Amino acid sequence: MLKAGNALKVSIYLSDGSRHHGSSTESCIVDFLFTHGVSGATVFKGVAGFGVDHHLHSASFVELSDRLPVKVEFTESKEKVEELLARLTELTGTGQIEIQETTVVKPAGMSKAAPVGKAS
């Protein structure tokens, strides 16, 4: 579980439609992070962008591009990021990984769900 204090924020930039062994790359990355105990991750889908190839991709009401920008982001301890980085690099393929030092002021807490079968 992520604790307050120094941490790393990892941003992985992909193109929507990128695949890894037949599945969406962002889905493979999120599954990997989930199964390896990362505290949380979010996938953001952009409305416009371009990459190293300098081809502009954008969404419009008339036409939706299948190559829009996608960003997977998570915050974790330095040790955890170092443990996962080699596999994340493989999964990312031609995408980009950015890591920033950050400070977690208040980590997310577990939700207190009502017991199963108990009426509210």
Side-chain angles (χ1 to χ4, degrees):
M1 176 175 274
L2 187 62
K3 297 178 175 154
N6 294 336
L8 296 176
K9 179 166 57 172
V10 180
S11 299
I12 302 171
Y13 299 90
L14 308 164
S15 291
D16 193 20
S18 65
R19 312 297 278 173
H20 182 79
H21 297 295
S23 297
S24 72
T25 303
E26 65 268 23
S27 179
C28 289
I29 290 171
V30 169
D31 288 347
F32 172 74
L33 296 173
F34 181 82
T35 60
H36 285 81
V38 169
S39 297
T42 303
V43 177
F44 300 94
K45 291 203 175 203
V47 295
F50 65 92
V52 70
D53 60 2
H54 275 68
H55 291 124
L56 185 59
H57 305 280
S58 65
S60 70
F61 292 113
V62 177
E63 175 183 350
L64 293 177
S65 174
D66 65 345
R67 305 301 288 171
L68 293 173
V70 174
K71 179 168 80 167
V72 179
E73 191 169 274
F74 68 97
T75 303
E76 256 307 339
S77 68
K78 180 179 180 179
E79 297 76 25
K80 187 65 149 177
V81 171
E82 288 173 351
E83 174 188 325
L84 304 175
L85 195 54
R87 181 66 177 139
L88 286 173
T89 300
E90 286 177 35
L91 290 170
T92 300
T94 60
Q96 174 181 310
I97 299 174
E98 173 191 15
I99 299 175
Q100 298 177 30
E101 292 182 7
T102 191
T103 302
V104 174
V105 176
K106 182 203 170 291
M110 297 286 288
S111 61
K112 295 179 182 174
V116 176
K118 178 138 181 149
S120 42

